[in-house]
mmCIF file of all heavy atoms in Angstrom:
data_model
loop_
_atom_site.group_PDB
_atom_site.id
_atom_site.type_symbol
_atom_site.label_atom_id
_atom_site.label_comp_id
_atom_site.label_asym_id
_atom_site.label_seq_id
_atom_site.Cartn_x
_atom_site.Cartn_y
_atom_site.Cartn_z
ATOM 1 N N VAL A 9 53.902 61.557 115.216
ATOM 2 C CA VAL A 9 53.821 62.046 113.809
ATOM 3 C C VAL A 9 55.125 61.741 113.096
ATOM 4 O O VAL A 9 55.155 61.307 111.958
ATOM 5 C CB VAL A 9 53.455 63.528 113.762
ATOM 6 C CG1 VAL A 9 53.611 64.034 112.305
ATOM 7 C CG2 VAL A 9 52.069 63.755 114.320
ATOM 8 N N ILE A 23 59.305 50.285 98.439
ATOM 9 C CA ILE A 23 58.610 50.196 97.193
ATOM 10 C C ILE A 23 59.489 50.599 96.042
ATOM 11 O O ILE A 23 59.536 49.874 95.019
ATOM 12 C CB ILE A 23 57.343 51.050 97.186
ATOM 13 C CG1 ILE A 23 56.298 50.516 98.209
ATOM 14 C CG2 ILE A 23 56.688 51.173 95.795
ATOM 15 C CD1 ILE A 23 55.135 51.427 98.479
ATOM 16 N N ILE A 37 67.303 40.278 82.237
ATOM 17 C CA ILE A 37 66.696 39.175 81.452
ATOM 18 C C ILE A 37 66.649 39.625 79.961
ATOM 19 O O ILE A 37 66.978 38.872 79.081
ATOM 20 C CB ILE A 37 65.289 38.852 81.955
ATOM 21 C CG1 ILE A 37 65.374 38.270 83.319
ATOM 22 C CG2 ILE A 37 64.548 37.895 81.008
ATOM 23 C CD1 ILE A 37 64.028 38.081 84.029
ATOM 24 N N GLY A 39 68.578 41.734 78.536
ATOM 25 C CA GLY A 39 69.880 41.752 78.011
ATOM 26 C C GLY A 39 70.371 40.325 77.638
ATOM 27 O O GLY A 39 70.983 40.146 76.588
ATOM 28 N N ILE A 50 73.529 36.882 64.333
ATOM 29 C CA ILE A 50 74.877 36.963 63.635
ATOM 30 C C ILE A 50 75.309 35.608 63.126
ATOM 31 O O ILE A 50 75.832 35.471 61.980
ATOM 32 C CB ILE A 50 75.919 37.535 64.635
ATOM 33 C CG1 ILE A 50 75.580 38.967 64.960
ATOM 34 C CG2 ILE A 50 77.311 37.398 64.072
ATOM 35 C CD1 ILE A 50 76.490 39.604 66.065
ATOM 36 N N GLN A 55 75.841 32.289 57.806
ATOM 37 C CA GLN A 55 75.668 31.006 57.165
ATOM 38 C C GLN A 55 75.194 31.241 55.738
ATOM 39 O O GLN A 55 74.620 32.297 55.453
ATOM 40 C CB GLN A 55 74.627 30.120 57.960
ATOM 41 C CG GLN A 55 75.068 29.793 59.314
ATOM 42 C CD GLN A 55 76.301 28.953 59.399
ATOM 43 O OE1 GLN A 55 76.476 27.963 58.640
ATOM 44 N NE2 GLN A 55 77.193 29.272 60.347
ATOM 45 N N LEU A 75 82.993 48.572 49.525
ATOM 46 C CA LEU A 75 82.381 47.483 50.294
ATOM 47 C C LEU A 75 80.908 47.760 50.566
ATOM 48 O O LEU A 75 80.108 46.812 50.582
ATOM 49 C CB LEU A 75 83.181 47.343 51.630
ATOM 50 C CG LEU A 75 82.790 46.115 52.486
ATOM 51 C CD1 LEU A 75 82.851 44.819 51.650
ATOM 52 C CD2 LEU A 75 83.687 46.003 53.678
ATOM 53 N N GLY A 109 84.081 43.151 37.988
ATOM 54 C CA GLY A 109 83.832 42.115 37.034
ATOM 55 C C GLY A 109 82.439 41.507 37.137
ATOM 56 O O GLY A 109 81.610 41.959 37.969
ATOM 57 N N PRO A 119 80.160 33.478 53.504
ATOM 58 C CA PRO A 119 80.791 34.800 53.387
ATOM 59 C C PRO A 119 82.286 34.706 52.958
ATOM 60 O O PRO A 119 82.771 35.493 52.130
ATOM 61 C CB PRO A 119 80.628 35.401 54.790
ATOM 62 C CG PRO A 119 79.411 34.759 55.290
ATOM 63 C CD PRO A 119 79.407 33.312 54.776
ATOM 64 N N LYS A 130 87.308 35.499 40.364
ATOM 65 C CA LYS A 130 86.707 34.301 39.766
ATOM 66 C C LYS A 130 85.856 33.583 40.835
ATOM 67 O O LYS A 130 86.026 33.832 42.023
ATOM 68 C CB LYS A 130 87.812 33.319 39.249
ATOM 69 C CG LYS A 130 88.719 32.841 40.356
ATOM 70 C CD LYS A 130 89.819 31.922 39.735
ATOM 71 C CE LYS A 130 90.739 31.402 40.849
ATOM 72 N NZ LYS A 130 91.757 30.484 40.270
ATOM 73 N N VAL A 131 84.986 32.670 40.390
ATOM 74 C CA VAL A 131 84.100 31.986 41.305
ATOM 75 C C VAL A 131 84.956 31.032 42.160
ATOM 76 O O VAL A 131 85.735 30.251 41.588
ATOM 77 C CB VAL A 131 83.006 31.223 40.499
ATOM 78 C CG1 VAL A 131 82.138 30.438 41.489
ATOM 79 C CG2 VAL A 131 82.157 32.216 39.737
ATOM 80 N N GLY A 144 63.546 26.252 24.054
ATOM 81 C CA GLY A 144 62.642 25.572 23.151
ATOM 82 C C GLY A 144 62.489 24.074 23.292
ATOM 83 O O GLY A 144 61.798 23.448 22.526
ATOM 84 N N ASN A 146 61.024 20.639 25.124
ATOM 85 C CA ASN A 146 59.921 20.199 25.995
ATOM 86 C C ASN A 146 60.439 19.212 27.041
ATOM 87 O O ASN A 146 61.619 18.915 27.097
ATOM 88 C CB ASN A 146 58.771 19.598 25.142
ATOM 89 C CG ASN A 146 59.260 18.352 24.376
ATOM 90 O OD1 ASN A 146 60.023 17.524 24.827
ATOM 91 N ND2 ASN A 146 58.780 18.242 23.130
ATOM 92 N N ASP A 176 52.177 18.650 43.885
ATOM 93 C CA ASP A 176 51.560 19.330 45.006
ATOM 94 C C ASP A 176 52.668 19.922 45.936
ATOM 95 O O ASP A 176 52.519 21.077 46.430
ATOM 96 C CB ASP A 176 50.669 18.410 45.797
ATOM 97 C CG ASP A 176 49.421 18.044 45.086
ATOM 98 O OD1 ASP A 176 49.007 18.855 44.214
ATOM 99 O OD2 ASP A 176 48.816 16.971 45.396
ATOM 100 N N TYR A 177 53.737 19.171 46.138
ATOM 101 C CA TYR A 177 54.846 19.635 46.989
ATOM 102 C C TYR A 177 55.472 20.896 46.374
ATOM 103 O O TYR A 177 55.758 21.891 47.043
ATOM 104 C CB TYR A 177 55.874 18.526 47.194
ATOM 105 C CG TYR A 177 57.185 19.052 47.729
ATOM 106 C CD1 TYR A 177 57.324 19.457 49.039
ATOM 107 C CD2 TYR A 177 58.305 19.101 46.909
ATOM 108 C CE1 TYR A 177 58.500 19.921 49.555
ATOM 109 C CE2 TYR A 177 59.520 19.635 47.408
ATOM 110 C CZ TYR A 177 59.619 19.979 48.718
ATOM 111 O OH TYR A 177 60.819 20.480 49.179
ATOM 112 N N PHE A 210 76.648 22.001 38.692
ATOM 113 C CA PHE A 210 76.296 21.128 39.767
ATOM 114 C C PHE A 210 77.549 20.769 40.577
ATOM 115 O O PHE A 210 78.626 20.560 40.026
ATOM 116 C CB PHE A 210 75.601 19.825 39.258
ATOM 117 C CG PHE A 210 74.241 20.103 38.707
ATOM 118 C CD1 PHE A 210 74.062 20.359 37.338
ATOM 119 C CD2 PHE A 210 73.137 20.101 39.534
ATOM 120 C CE1 PHE A 210 72.782 20.604 36.824
ATOM 121 C CE2 PHE A 210 71.862 20.359 39.020
ATOM 122 C CZ PHE A 210 71.690 20.609 37.689
ATOM 123 N N THR A 219 66.780 17.643 43.011
ATOM 124 C CA THR A 219 67.689 18.759 43.062
ATOM 125 C C THR A 219 67.712 19.392 41.650
ATOM 126 O O THR A 219 67.668 20.640 41.508
ATOM 127 C CB THR A 219 69.126 18.301 43.375
ATOM 128 O OG1 THR A 219 69.131 17.796 44.715
ATOM 129 C CG2 THR A 219 70.151 19.390 43.222
ATOM 130 N N TYR A 238 53.588 43.485 37.035
ATOM 131 C CA TYR A 238 53.019 43.768 35.727
ATOM 132 C C TYR A 238 51.895 42.776 35.447
ATOM 133 O O TYR A 238 50.815 43.169 34.954
ATOM 134 C CB TYR A 238 54.141 43.574 34.666
ATOM 135 C CG TYR A 238 53.617 43.665 33.192
ATOM 136 C CD1 TYR A 238 53.628 44.891 32.529
ATOM 137 C CD2 TYR A 238 53.120 42.539 32.537
ATOM 138 C CE1 TYR A 238 53.164 44.943 31.214
ATOM 139 C CE2 TYR A 238 52.653 42.600 31.276
ATOM 140 C CZ TYR A 238 52.685 43.785 30.611
ATOM 141 O OH TYR A 238 52.218 43.891 29.300
ATOM 142 N N GLN A 240 49.998 41.148 37.539
ATOM 143 C CA GLN A 240 48.819 41.437 38.375
ATOM 144 C C GLN A 240 48.068 42.663 37.887
ATOM 145 O O GLN A 240 46.825 42.685 37.845
ATOM 146 C CB GLN A 240 49.263 41.712 39.830
ATOM 147 C CG GLN A 240 49.814 40.424 40.528
ATOM 148 C CD GLN A 240 50.489 40.700 41.819
ATOM 149 O OE1 GLN A 240 50.633 41.841 42.232
ATOM 150 N NE2 GLN A 240 50.938 39.642 42.498
ATOM 151 N N THR A 251 53.044 30.167 28.906
ATOM 152 C CA THR A 251 52.353 29.555 27.759
ATOM 153 C C THR A 251 52.554 30.381 26.509
ATOM 154 O O THR A 251 52.968 29.878 25.442
ATOM 155 C CB THR A 251 50.805 29.389 28.069
ATOM 156 O OG1 THR A 251 50.645 28.555 29.231
ATOM 157 C CG2 THR A 251 50.126 28.724 26.886
ATOM 158 N N PHE A 252 52.296 31.675 26.636
ATOM 159 C CA PHE A 252 52.407 32.591 25.477
ATOM 160 C C PHE A 252 53.915 32.634 25.010
ATOM 161 O O PHE A 252 54.174 32.514 23.825
ATOM 162 C CB PHE A 252 51.986 33.992 25.945
ATOM 163 C CG PHE A 252 51.644 34.904 24.786
ATOM 164 C CD1 PHE A 252 50.621 35.891 24.919
ATOM 165 C CD2 PHE A 252 52.297 34.871 23.552
ATOM 166 C CE1 PHE A 252 50.277 36.731 23.921
ATOM 167 C CE2 PHE A 252 51.942 35.773 22.558
ATOM 168 C CZ PHE A 252 50.950 36.691 22.691
ATOM 169 N N THR A 302 53.975 20.020 8.448
ATOM 170 C CA THR A 302 52.608 19.952 8.956
ATOM 171 C C THR A 302 51.620 19.798 7.827
ATOM 172 O O THR A 302 51.519 20.698 6.998
ATOM 173 C CB THR A 302 52.270 21.238 9.785
ATOM 174 O OG1 THR A 302 53.318 21.411 10.790
ATOM 175 C CG2 THR A 302 50.953 21.095 10.440
ATOM 176 N N SER A 305 46.040 17.094 7.106
ATOM 177 C CA SER A 305 45.430 16.038 7.955
ATOM 178 C C SER A 305 45.836 16.218 9.402
ATOM 179 O O SER A 305 45.150 15.854 10.342
ATOM 180 C CB SER A 305 45.847 14.625 7.429
ATOM 181 O OG SER A 305 47.269 14.512 7.418
ATOM 182 N N PRO A 312 43.025 20.151 22.600
ATOM 183 C CA PRO A 312 43.036 21.533 23.147
ATOM 184 C C PRO A 312 44.283 22.236 22.765
ATOM 185 O O PRO A 312 44.284 23.530 22.773
ATOM 186 C CB PRO A 312 42.929 21.372 24.649
ATOM 187 C CG PRO A 312 42.275 20.033 24.817
ATOM 188 C CD PRO A 312 42.779 19.180 23.700
ATOM 189 N N ILE A 326 54.171 24.733 25.616
ATOM 190 C CA ILE A 326 54.554 23.601 24.814
ATOM 191 C C ILE A 326 56.019 23.390 24.838
ATOM 192 O O ILE A 326 56.506 22.408 24.234
ATOM 193 C CB ILE A 326 54.033 23.802 23.367
ATOM 194 C CG1 ILE A 326 54.664 25.018 22.719
ATOM 195 C CG2 ILE A 326 52.562 23.897 23.317
ATOM 196 C CD1 ILE A 326 54.394 25.215 21.234
ATOM 197 N N PRO A 340 55.651 43.632 23.664
ATOM 198 C CA PRO A 340 55.673 43.336 22.229
ATOM 199 C C PRO A 340 55.708 44.612 21.365
ATOM 200 O O PRO A 340 55.419 45.741 21.902
ATOM 201 C CB PRO A 340 54.321 42.638 21.994
ATOM 202 C CG PRO A 340 53.452 43.215 23.073
ATOM 203 C CD PRO A 340 54.358 43.454 24.272
ATOM 204 N N ALA A 350 58.403 32.048 8.090
ATOM 205 C CA ALA A 350 59.900 32.005 8.093
ATOM 206 C C ALA A 350 60.285 31.562 6.650
ATOM 207 O O ALA A 350 60.029 30.399 6.247
ATOM 208 C CB ALA A 350 60.400 31.059 9.122
ATOM 209 N N GLN A 355 64.729 34.414 6.971
ATOM 210 C CA GLN A 355 64.198 35.705 7.537
ATOM 211 C C GLN A 355 62.668 35.582 7.705
ATOM 212 O O GLN A 355 61.988 34.910 6.990
ATOM 213 C CB GLN A 355 64.496 36.903 6.621
ATOM 214 C CG GLN A 355 65.979 37.137 6.391
ATOM 215 C CD GLN A 355 66.659 37.603 7.689
ATOM 216 O OE1 GLN A 355 66.028 38.311 8.473
ATOM 217 N NE2 GLN A 355 67.905 37.292 7.823
ATOM 218 N N TYR A 362 45.580 38.724 4.410
ATOM 219 C CA TYR A 362 45.791 37.367 3.870
ATOM 220 C C TYR A 362 46.376 37.474 2.432
ATOM 221 O O TYR A 362 47.212 36.603 2.063
ATOM 222 C CB TYR A 362 44.470 36.652 3.801
ATOM 223 C CG TYR A 362 44.614 35.180 3.455
ATOM 224 C CD1 TYR A 362 45.376 34.316 4.277
ATOM 225 C CD2 TYR A 362 43.981 34.644 2.318
ATOM 226 C CE1 TYR A 362 45.545 32.974 3.936
ATOM 227 C CE2 TYR A 362 44.169 33.293 2.024
ATOM 228 C CZ TYR A 362 44.907 32.482 2.793
ATOM 229 O OH TYR A 362 45.048 31.151 2.523
#
Side-chain angles (χ1 to χ4, degrees):
V9 171
I23 292 171
I37 294 171
I50 293 174
Q55 297 297 317
L75 187 53
K130 62 181 181 180
V131 178
N146 60 40
D176 287 338
Y177 165 72
F210 290 94
T219 296
Y238 174 94
Q240 291 169 358
T251 301
F252 200 145
T302 306
S305 58
I326 61 173
Q355 298 293 327
Y362 189 62

